[in-house]
């Protein structure tokens, strides 16, 4: 069970802080249950969710070492743009990547949609709204978690990644 102060990934909301654990009963016929009170780090509001929640995915935020290892793996990740004329199938593909809640999948999705955007721009074609929405969502979730793991501002994540990759790609370092 998470503790007050823990940082967790909560479904598609992203990183949240557990700010309280409360006992509540929402009707007289219901037994009292424990609920987490979550505060999203990059959105406004609060979320109250059952401690025994099987409906929304939760997990602890990755560690700094895991974040650095993920970033160091970027040069080995092949970014392959996914094309599909059927927008439902395209959206389904992207949604399955997001719903894995795995940082590596989010990184692959971000990289592959960015690759697709570059390819479309080179061909002087429009980058699709579905592609853009999922690229931004994956990047938002990934950068939010990396920022927390690395203890940096969310806006500093791209520069951190670039700096880290330039250090690891230089010969003799």
């Amino acid at each position: 069970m998470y503790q007050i102060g823990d940082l967790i990934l909560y479904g598609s909301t992203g990183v949240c802080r557990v700010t309280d654990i409360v006992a509540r009963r929402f009707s007289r016929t219901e037994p009292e249950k424990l609920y987490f009170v979550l505060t999203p780090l990059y959105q406004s509001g609060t979320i109250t969710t059952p401690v025994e929640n099987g409906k929304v995915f939760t997990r602890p935020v990755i560690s700094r070492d895991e974040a650095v290892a993920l970033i160091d793996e970027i040069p080995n990740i092949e970014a392959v743009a996914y094309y599909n004329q059927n927008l439902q199938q395209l959206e389904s593909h992207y949604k399955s990547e997001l719903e894995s809640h795995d940082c590596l999948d989010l990184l692959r999705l971000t990289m592959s949609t960015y690759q697709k955007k570059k390819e479309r721009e080179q061909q002087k074609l429009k980058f699709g709204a579905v592609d853009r929405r999922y690229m931004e969502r994956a990047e938002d979730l990934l950068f939010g978690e990396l920022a927390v793991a690395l203890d940096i501002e969310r806006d500093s994540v791209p520069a951190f990644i670039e700096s880290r990759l330039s250090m690891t790609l230089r010969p003799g370092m």
Side-chain angles (χ1 to χ4, degrees):
M1 183 164 100
Y2 303 118
Q3 303 300 314
I4 294 173
D6 285 353
L7 292 169
I8 65 169
L9 185 78
Y10 180 76
S12 62
T13 301
V15 179
C16 295
R17 182 179 307 280
V18 178
T19 54
D20 204 357
I21 301 171
V22 296
R24 290 214 174 124
R25 180 188 334 239
F26 286 100
S27 74
R28 292 181 191 200
T29 58
E30 254 184 47
E32 196 171 72
K33 293 181 185 176
L34 287 178
Y35 291 84
F36 289 121
V37 179
L38 308 175
T39 302
L41 265 55
Y42 304 107
Q43 297 177 26
S44 59
T46 59
I47 299 166
T48 303
T49 186
V51 168
E52 299 298 324
N53 181 8
K55 294 179 183 177
V56 179
F57 180 86
T58 62
R59 68 164 168 77
V61 170
I62 63 173
S63 69
R64 178 177 180 79
D65 289 344
E66 290 169 318
V68 169
L70 180 69
I71 291 166
D72 289 349
E73 192 61 29
I74 289 174
N76 301 322
I77 297 171
E78 187 178 353
V80 179
Y82 178 78
Y83 289 91
N84 195 319
Q85 297 288 14
N86 182 318
L87 291 182
Q88 286 180 327
Q89 290 177 359
L90 180 66
E91 191 151 3
S92 177
H93 169 78
Y94 288 153
K95 195 179 277 189
S96 71
E97 293 290 312
L98 278 181
E99 290 175 352
S100 78
H101 305 288
D102 181 82
C103 287
L104 182 57
D105 289 340
L106 292 174
L107 181 58
R108 277 192 199 111
L109 178 57
T110 300
M111 290 174 65
S112 67
T113 50
Y114 181 77
Q115 177 65 32
K116 186 175 185 178
K117 180 180 179 192
K118 276 183 24 183
E119 290 171 7
R120 302 292 288 181
E121 287 171 353
Q122 287 171 350
Q123 298 166 354
K124 305 222 184 299
L125 297 171
K126 186 178 171 189
F127 185 57
V130 171
D131 298 307
R132 181 176 311 283
R133 184 171 66 245
Y134 281 94
M135 179 179 78
E136 289 171 356
R137 189 67 194 126
E139 189 176 85
D140 186 51
L141 290 169
L142 178 65
F143 286 5
E145 187 164 5
L146 289 175
V148 169
L150 298 167
D151 195 26
I152 61 175
E153 292 295 319
R154 192 180 169 285
D155 292 342
S156 301
V157 171
F160 181 93
I161 292 171
E162 190 175 311
S163 171
R164 179 81 189 173
L165 292 178
S166 70
M167 286 179 11
T168 58
L169 294 177
R170 274 191 225 141
M173 294 211 117

